[in-house]
Amino acid sequence: MADAAFPLERTAILTGAASERGIGRATADLLASLGWAVAILDLDAAACAEAAAEIARRHGVPTLGVGVDVTDQAAVDRAVAKVEAELPAVVALVNLAGISSPTDFMEETVAGWERVFKVNVTGAFIVCQRVLAGMVERRLGRVVCLSSISAQRGGGTYSKSAYSSSKAALIGMVRSIARELGQYGITANCVAPGAVDTDIMGGTLDDERKAQMAQGILVGRIGDRDEVAALIAFLVGDKAGYVTAATYDINGGLQIS
Ligand SMILES: NC(=O)c1ccc[n+]([C@@H]2O[C@H](COP(=O)([O-])OP(=O)(O)OC[C@H]3O[C@@H](n4cnc5c(N)ncnc54)[C@H](O)[C@@H]3O)[C@@H](O)[C@H]2O)c1
């Protein structure tokens, strides 16, 4: 069965897309350039509004920025309801909201572990469940969650065990969404980047750190946020209806080095 027709006017919700140097911001910008209406959900309401306004100015599409903590189920419900009321049908959800944790396994605490899981896993669960309700009704949806090469390699870039484990958990969640909701024209996939220079890496990467990280990367450099955005844009696009339950590596070949 083919997907329901991809509507000309459609919305992508992106969580964690307000940060100026982030992968989410680059993805929101690219999707808007492709004609998507864009909703940005992130912690800081002013930053969300600013990002939404800037993208609308640049691409002339409807946008909305809503301040929300993805771990707050009632707030997520209100935020998604606002998007559903003000923007075209939500066809895509990209879960980028996440936090890092460079703590060694033997130093990790239950509180630290739970802090990371709460945002990276429970937050993604809350947002997915809320947004998927409408996608099921409309018989069309594209979900992408940001996993990480850290899930496969047990760290090795910046973050360590709590983060790696949380990003591995997302692969299981995405596959269960793909399995249970594929019958409604919904696809769900993970994108697993290697190192990209964003705020989540504990501050801007200087040239020395970039060069250090590039060792072992087959193409000899760390990744660019626009490269990750391009992959996400494909996965939420109208041509990707037969791609589901997959995890896309985008790491310059680091996964085999
Ligand atoms: N940068 C990398 O090297 C890299 C590699 C692999 C995976 N990722 C993943 O990509 C995603 C985007 O990260 P990024 O690199 O653009 O970093 P980023 O720090 O720019 O983006 C993360 C965003 O999540 C938001 N956020 C954090 N907690 C939140 C909460 N409780 N509710 C709502 N929003 C919240 C932050 O405000 C921020 O805007 C993350 O899930 C990250 O784990 C990044």
Side-chain angles (χ1 to χ4, degrees), residues 16 18-19 22-24 42-43 68-71 96-99 119 146-148 163 167 193-196 198-201:
S19 159
I23 296 168
D42 205 313
L43 285 174
V68 65
D69 181 336
V70 293
T71 69
L96 300 118
I99 56 174
V119 177
L146 271 286
S147 181
S148 168
Y163 179 85
K167 292 295 173 178
V196 179
T198 70
D199 292 345
I200 212 165
M201 302 296 284

Side-chain angles (χ1 to χ4, degrees), residues 176-190:
S176 70
I177 292 169
R179 183 181 295 280
E180 293 179 26
L181 302 178
Q183 61 185 311
Y184 302 110
I186 290 165
T187 65
N189 295 288
C190 276

Side-chain angles (χ1 to χ4, degrees), residues 51-84:
E54 197 215 26
I55 289 169
R57 251 194 325 273
R58 239 208 318 264
H59 302 293
V61 294
T63 64
L64 194 61
V66 190
V68 65
D69 181 336
V70 293
T71 69
D72 179 341
Q73 193 168 21
V76 167
D77 181 40
R78 285 193 299 275
V80 175
K82 189 173 164 65
V83 174
E84 288 174 334

Side-chain angles (χ1 to χ4, degrees), residues 12 37 110 144 147 156 224:
V110 170
V144 173
S147 181
D224 188 275

Side-chain angles (χ1 to χ4, degrees), residues 11-20 22-42 48 51-56 58-65 94 96 225-226 228-230 232-233 236:
T11 297
I13 294 180
L14 301 98
T15 70
S19 159
E20 237 178 293
I23 296 168
R25 182 72 163 263
T27 308
D29 197 68
L30 176 58
L31 291 178
S33 78
L34 298 171
W36 290 79
V38 161
I40 292 177
L41 275 51
D42 205 313
C48 289
E54 197 215 26
I55 289 169
R58 239 208 318 264
H59 302 293
V61 294
T63 64
L64 194 61
V94 189
L96 300 118
R225 61 194 200 131
D226 291 328
V228 182
I232 297 170
V236 302

